[in-house]
Amino acid sequence: YWKLAFNKSIKLRKMENQRDEEGRLIINNQKEFFDRCVDENKNIDARNVRLQFELNLSELELYKELGRVLFQNSIFENHVSFNGLMNVSGDADFSNATFSRDANFSRVVFLRNANFSKALFSNNANFEGILFLKDVNFEGATFSNNANFRAGLFKNITNFT
């Protein structure tokens, strides 16, 4: 029994710490994402991860208010959705992130600085009705398909160079 439990524990640990060729932690499902990356204050620290599932925070009533949101150097392999009148009260950093499928940020309110520098949007990027209350940086970001910023409001410094 003990040997079986020990072997199962080792297999789980190996699965939980799988990394891609660039050293990013691979996360396979939403439960693992919340367990590893979201703290009790609704701060998200998902730097250097590869998300292999559809991340849809817009469906979760509990996450209408987020703190700090960090996704630097991360890869979203599937659709990602933050839309739906969500407030992000801390700094948001998506620098060098890759969005392989549609990225939806419609009606999100960023109360602090937001950084999307050198982000790659491989498919559609929807920022309709977005509200940036502080600085926002899209310097070097690549939009490979449609980028929708209709009815968006930029209250402070905005960089798209």
Side-chain angles (χ1 to χ4, degrees), residues 32-151:
E32 182 182 358
F33 170 76
F34 284 108
D35 289 347
R36 287 180 171 270
C37 302
V38 183
D39 71 16
E40 64 278 356
N41 296 316
K42 299 180 187 169
N43 294 306
I44 298 175
D45 188 347
R47 292 174 284 187
N48 297 304
V49 300
R50 177 181 290 268
L51 302 176
Q52 295 186 321
F53 62 96
E54 182 172 337
L55 178 61
N56 190 347
L57 293 177
S58 59
E59 292 180 346
L60 304 173
E61 193 62 39
L62 182 63
Y63 290 91
K64 294 298 180 187
E65 291 280 338
L66 293 175
R68 186 180 59 250
V69 178
L70 306 175
F71 283 98
Q72 297 108 308
N73 302 309
S74 293
I75 296 175
F76 298 88
E77 289 187 1
N78 214 317
H79 300 286
V80 58
S81 181
F82 286 87
N83 72 309
L85 299 174
M86 177 184 297
N87 290 331
V88 178
S89 62
D91 287 340
D93 195 338
F94 293 88
S95 59
N96 297 301
T98 298
F99 298 89
S100 301
R101 304 284 294 274
D102 291 346
N104 192 348
F105 290 90
S106 67
R107 300 186 326 268
V108 174
V109 177
F110 287 95
L111 301 172
R112 303 229 8 211
N113 296 332
N115 185 5
F116 290 88
S117 65
K118 297 182 182 173
L120 170 61
F121 295 89
S122 298
N123 213 2
N124 298 315
N126 185 10
F127 289 90
E128 185 170 0
I130 193 84
L131 177 57
F132 292 108
L133 295 180
K134 297 289 183 185
D135 296 351
V136 59
N137 184 7
F138 283 94
E139 182 179 4
T142 302
F143 297 92
S144 301
N145 209 339
N146 296 323
N148 177 6
F149 287 91
R150 275 183 295 230

